[in-house]
């Protein structure tokens, strides 16, 4: 009965915050006292979610896993199919006339599926650094930023621990070095000490083995500890401050109108083929 009650509570957590990573579910479970804040508690959550998915109780797409993916080119059965797909995915350039350029940098690949629905909606690049970004990745990012005619706003999300904070600092330092002509504004928007206090985030001891832990403090917090809806809202509010109030709604209406034009074009081509 205890296991069944815990699994029902886990399902409620995921339904309210989907998509979520397993680690995010674990942190929300510790906040609610469902499992202990230890590896044993994480193992319980991991097992529960596996059993629930296999039993059909938990939809697979409610959990995000961006660490495994497939490479395959898009193919179509006909020109009509290609145009239908184009109509479905057609997007207008939201930032063409904007007075700024915006990127979101994310430390953890596993959380990309949680953040991407927001960055995708606002047509903002999501740059997954996987901790310390490679020099090649930073070079190509800087090369693009350096050619911009508008200021570049870089927003970083990462763990609040010695490595997570330092990884963000290194990204900023290297971008400025490789894009000396760019006007760069860099801001760490999560996790911050203020968020730890005001949101009462679950903490863990800072790893003494981390060579950067000196003078950092005893408390560390993973990005996964932020409730997923709150994390998405944080990103959305950050992006919206760069857009005129009604610009997004107007653009989406124009986008839908142009998508319908493409769809009608598909119909005309199909009719000609039938004649």
């Amino acid at each position: 009965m205890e296991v069944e009650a815990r699994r029902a509570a886990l399902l409620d957590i995921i339904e309210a915050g989907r998509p979520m990573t397993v680690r995010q579910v674990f942190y929300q479970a510790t906040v609610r006292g469902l499992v202990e804040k230890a590896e044993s508690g994480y193992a319980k959550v991991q097992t529960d979610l596996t059993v629930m998915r296999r039993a059909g109780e938990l939809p697979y797409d409610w959990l995000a896993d961006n660490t495994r993916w497939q490479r395959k080119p898009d193919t179509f059965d006909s020109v009509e199919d290609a145009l239908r797909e184009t109509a479905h995915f057609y997007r207008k350039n939201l930032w063409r006339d904007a007075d700024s350029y915006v990127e979101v940098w994310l430390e953890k690949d596993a959380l990309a599926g949680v953040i991407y629905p927001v960055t995708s909606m606002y047509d903002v690049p999501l740059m997954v650094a996987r901790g310390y970004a490679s020099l090649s990745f930073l070079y190509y990012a800087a090369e693009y930023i350096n050619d911009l005619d508008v200021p570049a706003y870089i927003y970083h999300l990462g763990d609040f621990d010695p490595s997570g904070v330092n990884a963000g600092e290194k990204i900023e330092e290297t971008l400025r070095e490789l894009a000396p002509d760019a006007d760069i504004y860099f801001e760490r928007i999560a996790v911050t000490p203020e968020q730890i206090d005001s949101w009462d985030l679950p903490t863990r001891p800072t790893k003494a083995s981390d060579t950067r832990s000196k003078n950092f403090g005893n408390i560390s917090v993973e990005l996964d500890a932020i409730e997923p809806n709150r994390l998405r809202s944080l990103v959305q509010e950050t992006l919206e401050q760069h857009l005129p109030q009604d610009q997004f709604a107007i653009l989406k209406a124009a986008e839908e109108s142009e998508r319908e034009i493409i769809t009608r074009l598909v119909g005309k081509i199909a009719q000609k083929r039938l004649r």
Side-chain angles (χ1 to χ4, degrees):
M1 290 179 62
E2 179 183 342
V3 172
E4 289 178 0
R6 184 177 68 230
R7 289 177 181 173
L10 291 176
L11 189 62
D12 289 341
I13 290 171
I14 302 169
E15 184 173 15
R18 68 181 191 269
M20 301 176 67
T21 65
V22 174
R23 198 152 193 85
Q24 283 182 311
V25 178
F26 162 67
Y27 273 115
Q28 295 308 307
T30 63
V31 170
R32 292 161 175 77
L34 298 175
V35 296
E36 60 274 20
K37 193 172 67 174
E39 285 304 314
S40 57
Y42 183 79
K44 289 178 184 177
V45 170
Q46 202 170 33
T47 299
D48 286 343
L49 300 186
T50 298
V51 171
M52 291 163 68
R53 279 176 288 178
R54 289 187 176 278
E57 300 169 2
L58 172 63
Y60 278 83
D61 60 358
W62 285 15
L63 291 178
D65 181 2
N66 207 60
T67 61
R68 299 165 179 83
W69 46 282
Q70 177 193 69
R71 288 187 177 94
K72 182 183 179 300
D74 292 331
T75 57
F76 307 96
D77 293 332
S78 65
V79 173
E80 291 94 327
D81 282 344
L83 286 172
R84 287 191 189 96
E85 194 76 358
T86 300
H88 180 69
F89 288 106
Y90 173 72
R91 297 285 301 273
K92 288 186 72 66
N93 184 355
L94 177 61
W95 299 87
R96 185 183 64 179
D97 299 320
D99 58 2
S100 60
Y101 171 77
V102 180
E103 288 180 350
V104 174
W105 283 67
L106 180 64
E107 178 185 349
K108 294 188 170 182
D109 195 10
L111 287 172
V114 177
I115 301 297
Y116 183 69
V118 178
T119 57
S120 173
M121 180 172 63
Y122 287 94
D123 192 23
V124 168
L126 178 60
M127 314 291 282
V128 181
R130 293 185 176 181
Y132 285 89
S134 73
L135 184 59
S136 294
F137 188 55
L138 287 163
Y139 171 79
Y140 289 114
E143 187 177 40
Y144 182 84
I145 291 172
N146 203 47
D147 291 335
L148 294 172
D149 296 325
V150 295
Y153 289 81
I154 311 296
Y155 296 103
H156 184 260
L157 300 102
D159 291 346
F160 182 79
D161 61 18
S163 294
V165 172
N166 185 249
E169 293 170 345
K170 287 296 182 183
I171 289 172
E172 178 181 9
E173 177 184 319
T174 308
L175 286 177
R176 293 188 185 280
E177 174 191 343
L178 297 177
D181 299 327
D183 189 4
I184 298 175
Y185 295 84
F186 190 98
E187 182 181 352
R188 177 185 178 85
I189 60 172
V191 177
T192 67
E194 294 76 21
Q195 291 165 350
I196 296 171
D197 293 335
S198 61
W199 294 347
D200 194 23
L201 298 178
T203 64
R204 60 172 172 78
T206 299
K207 295 178 181 178
S209 58
D210 193 323
T211 57
R212 301 172 185 84
S213 62
K214 185 179 180 181
N215 300 324
F216 183 82
N218 299 323
I219 298 300
S220 292
V221 174
E222 290 193 77
L223 183 61
D224 314 65
I226 300 178
E227 195 275 327
N229 285 328
R230 174 171 274 169
L231 187 60
R232 284 188 283 266
S233 294
L234 172 67
V235 174
Q236 182 169 343
E237 291 167 7
T238 300
L239 300 182
E240 285 180 345
Q241 67 184 345
H242 292 282
L243 294 171
Q245 188 172 5
D246 298 325
Q247 182 177 341
F248 183 69
I250 293 171
L251 180 132
K252 296 306 288 184
E255 182 180 284
E256 183 60 31
S257 175
E258 291 168 7
R259 187 177 288 124
E260 290 175 3
I261 292 172
I262 299 174
T263 302
R264 288 199 297 270
L265 178 61
V266 174
K268 290 179 180 179
I269 293 175
Q271 287 177 358
K272 287 183 177 180
R273 284 180 177 271
L274 291 174
R275 289 173 184 173

